[in-house]
Amino acid sequence: MKRVTVILNPMAGNAHQRRAIAKGITEWRSNQGWQVRLRETRRAGDATTFAREEAKRNDLIVAAGGDGTINEVMNGLVGTDTALGALPVGTGNVWVRELHQSLNPLHAARQLADGHVEPVDVGQANERYFLLMAGIGLDAAITREVRSADKKRLGRLAYVIKSLPVLWRLRGTRTRISLDGEPLKGNALFVLISNSRLYGGVLNIAYRAAMRDGMLDVCTMMGDSALDAPKLLAGILFRGYGMIQGLEYRQAREIEIACSKPLPIQVDGDAIGTTPMTFRVVPQSLRVLLPRTTEIN
């Protein structure tokens, strides 16, 4: 019999999705014979606290929310024997998309009931773990501007709207990056440190990323202003790394970033601070519950 705790962010999603989660929990109890407990968060940090507490007596912790909720839950599970599952109730649901899991919470619950557990790598930004990626510069500045109410009201459109004034003010910042001791310098517009392939649920920016290779994939966009962005974005879309000036793709186990002025940083869609910061991979330190048909490289 599985002992399961579902950690729900009640501010995420809508009533229809919450009813689907309730039905999924009922099916787990009746069809699988699982012992299921539901805990709802009230403030930032609750999900991590709950996950740490519940990991001591549970086989599985399920994060019901967006990628931010999943990030908080996994920060309480790294290094434990308790597995992480996810039910999609967010805006982007990038982790769920990465797993080819259903975006319908009830269907996703049924997939988890028939799933299997695998260990995966995670990234670490100073003391904060991340499952998907860390962004430095442009996307972190946009993330910092988007409020929870904006995401609930506008969905992904909120990021598009908030990106316009950020792009207008965008300037390259003198940056030194150390990749396992190898230096990379330039005027940074955006740096992506990725553990997974999908970015925003749509783009494969770090298209060679694998979650069990013991490496982080680093994509850098160097330029002077937003005028350089269209060329660099086109290079990303057509995988022109190394062929377009300012666009580089590297891999490393440890990355140190320092800038002439502090640049904002986000992990898994949540703002966490500014540069300087050190990032590293923590190999196969998190157990995740995957749909039966999903395999992790």
Side-chain angles (χ1 to χ4, degrees):
M1 179 179 291
K2 278 191 182 296
R3 293 162 298 177
V4 182
T5 294
V6 177
I7 298 176
L8 171 68
N9 176 2
M11 301 304 294
N14 53 47
H16 173 73
Q17 291 172 315
R18 286 188 286 274
R19 284 194 296 271
I21 288 173
K23 187 173 182 181
I25 290 174
T26 299
E27 288 190 5
W28 286 346
R29 287 170 172 156
S30 59
N31 299 342
Q32 307 298 321
W34 292 359
Q35 294 179 348
V36 186
R37 181 186 187 194
L38 177 66
R39 298 188 69 174
E40 294 189 2
T41 62
R42 294 185 178 180
R43 61 186 68 84
D46 276 357
T48 299
T49 300
F50 293 168
R52 286 183 180 137
E53 293 171 352
E54 299 296 331
K56 299 173 184 177
R57 52 181 174 267
N58 283 272
D59 308 301
L60 173 66
I61 308 294
V62 176
D67 292 308
T69 301
I70 294 171
N71 177 274
E72 282 201 21
V73 171
M74 61 86 71
N75 266 272
L77 298 181
V78 172
T80 74
D81 292 328
T82 302
L84 167 72
L87 295 177
V89 200
T91 303
N93 298 308
V94 179
W95 172 244
V96 168
R97 294 173 190 270
E98 184 81 27
L99 300 184
H100 306 292
Q101 193 174 339
S102 174
L103 294 177
N104 179 302
L106 178 56
H107 295 164
R110 290 168 176 166
Q111 287 176 315
L112 292 183
D114 192 33
H116 64 285
V117 174
E118 297 286 348
V120 298
D121 303 341
V122 302
Q124 187 175 9
N126 281 358
E127 302 305 316
R128 177 76 172 263
Y129 297 108
F130 58 93
L131 187 55
L132 299 167
M133 48 75 195
I136 300 95
L138 173 61
D139 77 329
I142 296 170
T143 298
R144 193 168 54 180
E145 296 296 319
V146 178
R147 302 290 180 256
S148 295
D150 298 327
K151 291 190 285 186
K152 197 170 185 66
R153 182 166 52 92
L154 299 171
R156 293 186 183 188
L157 183 60
Y159 290 92
V160 177
I161 293 171
K162 295 295 185 179
S163 70
L164 299 178
V166 174
L167 283 168
W168 179 259
R169 300 190 301 266
L170 183 65
R171 299 291 183 274
T173 300
R174 283 189 292 116
T175 301
R176 184 184 188 280
I177 304 173
S178 173
L179 301 156
D180 289 337
E182 181 182 346
L184 176 64
K185 299 179 181 179
N187 291 334
L189 298 172
F190 172 45
V191 179
L192 178 69
I193 300 173
S194 194
N195 187 46
S196 63
R197 294 187 180 186
L198 279 184
Y199 176 84
V202 180
L203 297 176
N204 278 308
I205 295 180
Y207 66 95
R208 295 201 298 261
M211 301 189 71
R212 299 178 70 175
D213 65 351
M215 304 291 285
L216 294 173
D217 290 44
V218 185
C219 306
T220 56
M221 290 173 52
M222 302 291 189
D224 295 323
S225 71
L227 294 176
D228 294 312
K231 173 189 67 176
L232 296 170
L233 290 173
I236 287 173
L237 291 175
F238 292 100
R239 299 181 181 175
Y241 295 103
M243 294 180 284
I244 295 178
Q245 185 176 0
L247 193 62
E248 296 286 344
Y249 191 125
R250 308 283 183 90
Q251 288 185 311
R253 293 179 177 84
E254 183 170 290
I255 303 100
E256 298 177 8
I257 298 183
C259 308
S260 59
K261 65 177 183 180
L263 286 181
I265 299 171
Q266 61 87 11
V267 295
D268 293 350
D270 284 345
I272 65 162
T274 61
T275 57
M277 193 170 287
T278 298
F279 306 83
R280 59 178 57 87
V281 66
V282 189
Q284 300 195 27
S285 55
L286 177 69
R287 291 163 54 82
V288 295
L289 181 60
L290 312 173
R292 180 174 53 85
T293 55
T294 299
E295 294 184 2
I296 293 288
N297 293 326

